[in-house]
Amino acid sequence: MSGKERARDNPFSINSLLKIACILLLLLFAVFFVKTKLDIAKMQEQLVEMEQQVEQQELENKDAELALRQDEETMERTAREKLDYAHPDERVFVDISGAN
């Protein structure tokens, strides 16, 4: 038998091993591609959820800031009217005529 005849009879010749290797490599790439696409889809869903959480938190922060500002205004008004407090650099004029 010559070398060509042995190569044809041998089921594990270089050509068939290369074909098998290429097929396995393509399958590996296909699995990697599908896995990557699934990971991307999952991460995009997480991104949407996180953006919604950020938006919700920003609304809560605005509400808290508004409530705090209103509380500060209420405290300042109470301090001025009932305790006669003023800011350090503020001049307070008192009407002593008795007329309101």
Side-chain angles (χ1 to χ4, degrees), residues 2-3 7 12-13 24 26 38-39 55 59 61-62 74 79 84 91 93 99:
S2 69
F12 297 111
S13 68
L24 289 176
L26 285 174
L38 291 174
D39 288 345
E55 188 175 322
L59 289 174
N61 288 352
K62 285 181 182 179
T74 304
D84 293 327
R91 287 186 177 181
F93 296 97

Side-chain angles (χ1 to χ4, degrees), residues 17-50:
L17 288 176
L18 283 175
K19 288 178 186 177
I20 292 172
C22 287
I23 291 171
L24 289 176
L25 190 60
L26 285 174
L27 286 174
L28 180 67
F29 284 144
V31 168
F32 180 73
F33 180 76
V34 169
K35 183 184 178 311
T36 303
K37 282 290 193 182
L38 291 174
D39 288 345
I40 289 172
K42 182 180 174 184
M43 288 182 184
Q44 285 176 335
E45 289 176 7
Q46 288 177 347
L47 178 63
V48 168
E49 289 175 11
M50 288 183 177

Side-chain angles (χ1 to χ4, degrees), residues 1-13 16:
M1 264 197 221
S2 69
K4 287 185 181 180
E5 290 176 4
R6 269 190 273 157
R8 275 191 235 146
D9 293 339
N10 187 357
F12 297 111
S13 68
S16 59

Side-chain angles (χ1 to χ4, degrees), residues 71-87 90:
D71 287 346
E72 287 177 358
E73 290 171 359
T74 304
M75 288 186 342
E76 183 176 345
R77 185 174 47 250
T78 303
R80 285 179 182 277
E81 292 173 359
K82 295 185 178 179
L83 302 174
D84 293 327
Y85 281 7
H87 288 282
E90 184 178 25

